[in-house]
Amino acid sequence: MVYSSKRRFVAGAVCPRCSEMDKLVVYSEDGKDYRECVACGYKDEMHFKPVARELETRVNQTEEDKRDAVQVINILPFKSPDQ
């Protein structure tokens, strides 16, 4: 996630050092994302995990994948118990 170079407050965020709420700002500098507490001066570079692979669902499958998943089922004729 890339933030702008303009410092922005994060509503409801709590500083990990001084535990003050609503004192953290986030910004980007030299291609790196930072968070900083305006109360105690705590500064930390934020590292984000890479985006995980999207799970396969019926919505994101191709038509070919859907056709390959189709199975033909043979229904046996009904036989009554007295036959």
Side-chain angles (χ1 to χ4, degrees):
M1 180 175 264
V2 178
Y3 293 100
S4 69
S5 59
K6 184 176 180 181
R7 293 173 185 248
R8 298 182 184 268
F9 279 94
V10 180
V14 177
C15 175
R17 182 186 290 162
C18 68
S19 300
E20 289 286 325
M21 183 182 280
D22 295 333
K23 301 292 181 181
L24 284 180
V25 294
V26 293
Y27 59 94
S28 182
E29 189 174 89
D30 298 327
K32 296 179 181 178
D33 296 322
Y34 294 97
R35 64 180 174 173
E36 184 175 349
C37 179
V38 295
C40 70
Y42 173 80
K43 185 176 180 179
D44 183 27
E45 181 181 349
M46 297 187 295
H47 300 281
F48 296 103
K49 294 180 183 176
V51 177
R53 177 180 71 83
E54 183 178 11
L55 296 175
E56 290 185 23
T57 64
R58 63 181 174 83
V59 177
N60 62 6
Q61 289 181 350
T62 64
E63 289 298 320
E64 186 176 308
D65 292 338
K66 291 177 187 177
R67 276 191 305 253
D68 291 343
V70 173
Q71 297 177 358
V72 177
I73 299 174
N74 293 325
I75 300 177
L76 300 174
F78 177 74
K79 293 183 180 179
S80 64
D82 36 312
Q83 285 184 342

